[in-house]
Amino acid sequence: MSNKILVAGAGGFIGGHLVAELLKRGHKDIRAVDIKPFDEWYQHFPQVENLQFDLQLKDVCEQSAKGVAEVYNLAADMGGMGFIELNRGLCMLSVLINTHLLMAARDAGAKRFFYSSSACVYNAEKQTDPGVTGLREEDAYPAMPEDGYGWEKLFSERMCRHFMEDFGLTTRVARFHNVYGPNGTYDGGREKAPAAICRKVITAKLTGKHEIEIWGTGEQTRSFMYIDDCITGIDKIFRSENVTFPINLGSAEKVSINQLVDMVEDIAGIKLKRHYKLDAPKGVNGRNSDNTLIKKTLHWEPDTSLRAGMEKTYAWIYDQIKGK
């Protein structure tokens, strides 16, 4: 029986960390696929089968899934709020990736399929208050997700469910809450808040221009999950027998964007004058992960403190910028 593993989106931030972890655990038969040229992959491992493919195409997904036992779908056209609010059509086209991968996995006889969903599936009416309580899994319905990106994620969740029910393909779905850490995007427009704030603070420190632009009022709240917790959570969810439904994978440590800036300033040993860009994309006013279900089913939750994760992230981004 084949034990080949397909990692779709392997050239991305989370996909690169996942391939690294699979190698660390002794998996050797890995097929890594991403649309980006190899020199743009965040992590590249020559000992695995690396393919530069556009997974929106059905025949490409069939070729990628040939002979595989397990599929991790982390591939999507996405980024931070600045990207997804301005590229809704592009984000929705990612539905082709999951649709064609599900079909290819089914036809190839794969045993398990993982889909990376997002907290952007949650009903916007439950995220209007910065003091929001944690979002529970059932809060995705009645449906009113983030326009574009969130709708694509919610639809793809349903496809995973029905492929399991109709075709017997074991699917697992995790709703990621703002993953951050080293070896990821920190500039160019697709970066998320932790990396963007690190970059801005580092640039201010290195240039001596002690100012920072913050999108929105800075009072909007989020939780942020360190990449190591994300990879651990993916494995636990993927291997579980009882998590047959979409489940939160995120930290329950809620902070405002202003508090996050405070933290990065403290790490950098600097204070900056703040300018608030009130017309910039900022997403919902409040979002946090309710981890009741993951603790109940897996007896675990992401537990890396935001401070510890941000210190590592800041150090990595500092080295990247300093080395340019």
Side-chain angles (χ1 to χ4, degrees):
M1 181 178 295
S2 170
N3 61 359
K4 184 182 288 292
I5 298 171
L6 168 62
V7 179
F13 167 46
I14 301 173
H17 280 277
L18 177 59
V19 173
E21 181 63 22
L22 290 171
L23 287 169
K24 182 179 176 182
R25 295 186 179 190
H27 296 284
K28 294 183 173 61
D29 198 358
I30 300 171
R31 180 176 292 150
V33 181
D34 202 284
I35 194 173
K36 294 187 290 293
F38 293 140
D39 61 359
E40 294 180 13
W41 289 29
Y42 295 115
Q43 297 186 69
H44 186 272
F45 302 93
Q47 65 268 48
V48 309
E49 181 186 4
N50 296 297
L51 300 172
Q52 184 193 348
F53 280 166
D54 182 355
L55 289 166
Q56 292 187 38
L57 306 176
K58 185 174 182 289
D59 61 334
V60 164
C61 287
E62 291 169 349
Q63 185 177 345
S64 299
K66 186 176 181 180
V68 305
E70 298 178 345
V71 177
Y72 293 88
N73 181 15
L74 300 161
D77 203 345
M78 58 84 67
M81 193 54 59
F83 178 81
I84 66 176
E85 282 199 4
L86 300 175
N87 295 276
R88 295 188 174 108
L90 283 177
C91 289
M92 292 205 76
L93 284 174
S94 294
V95 73
L96 296 172
I97 299 173
N98 196 59
T99 301
H100 292 148
L101 273 179
L102 278 170
M103 296 169 66
R106 175 200 62 189
D107 296 345
K111 303 303 180 185
R112 296 180 92 85
F113 187 101
F114 175 84
Y115 178 64
S116 56
S117 188
S118 166
C120 288
V121 302
Y122 284 115
N123 189 314
E125 289 186 346
K126 296 180 180 292
Q127 303 173 77
T128 58
D129 183 356
V132 65
T133 56
L135 292 162
R136 300 167 298 172
E137 282 74 6
E138 58 264 34
D139 290 334
Y141 295 94
M144 193 187 296
E146 178 79 33
D147 199 6
Y149 180 72
W151 276 110
E152 185 276 321
K153 290 295 186 184
L154 194 61
F155 176 82
S156 293
E157 286 187 3
R158 302 295 287 194
M159 284 204 70
C160 289
R161 169 181 168 175
H162 297 310
F163 265 66
M164 183 160 55
E165 293 171 344
D166 293 356
F167 305 118
L169 174 62
T170 297
T171 60
R172 297 291 181 262
V173 175
R175 291 173 179 164
F176 293 168
H177 286 249
N178 293 309
V179 188
Y180 73 99
N183 295 108
T185 305
Y186 63 90
D187 61 6
R190 292 181 183 252
E191 68 278 12
K192 295 189 177 181
I197 291 170
C198 283
R199 184 199 75 242
K200 291 177 180 181
V201 171
I202 291 165
T203 301
K205 183 170 184 175
L206 292 177
T207 62
K209 186 178 180 181
H210 291 181
E211 299 179 355
I212 186 171
E213 181 182 86
I214 298 172
W215 288 8
T217 64
E219 296 303 313
Q220 61 269 35
T221 55
R222 296 289 188 276
S223 65
F224 301 97
M225 173 174 53
Y226 190 61
I227 184 62
D228 290 0
D229 286 339
C230 180
I231 298 301
T232 298
I234 289 173
D235 181 68
K236 288 180 179 292
I237 293 166
F238 194 56
R239 300 298 164 195
S240 70
E241 293 304 321
N242 58 342
V243 183
T244 58
F245 38 78
I247 191 168
N248 280 335
L249 182 53
S251 169
E253 183 183 352
K254 182 179 67 176
V255 295
S256 70
I257 297 302
N258 280 328
Q259 289 172 325
L260 185 61
V261 174
D262 290 340
M263 182 180 292
V264 179
E265 285 179 335
D266 190 57
I267 292 170
I270 195 172
K271 291 298 291 184
L272 305 176
K273 182 179 180 181
R274 301 181 184 187
H275 303 284
Y276 293 93
K277 186 173 175 58
L278 301 181
D279 60 348
K282 67 180 184 64
V284 297
N285 288 327
R287 178 181 292 153
N288 192 23
S289 179
D290 183 310
N291 286 347
T292 302
L293 189 56
I294 197 169
K295 288 190 289 186
K296 179 181 178 181
T297 54
L298 299 179
H299 311 291
W300 174 87
E301 68 173 318
D303 60 0
T304 301
S305 72
L306 183 59
R307 175 73 188 218
M310 288 300 292
E311 287 177 351
K312 294 177 183 178
T313 304
Y314 178 92
W316 182 83
I317 295 175
Y318 184 91
D319 287 343
Q320 305 308 303
I321 293 176
K322 188 74 171 176
K324 285 186 175 180

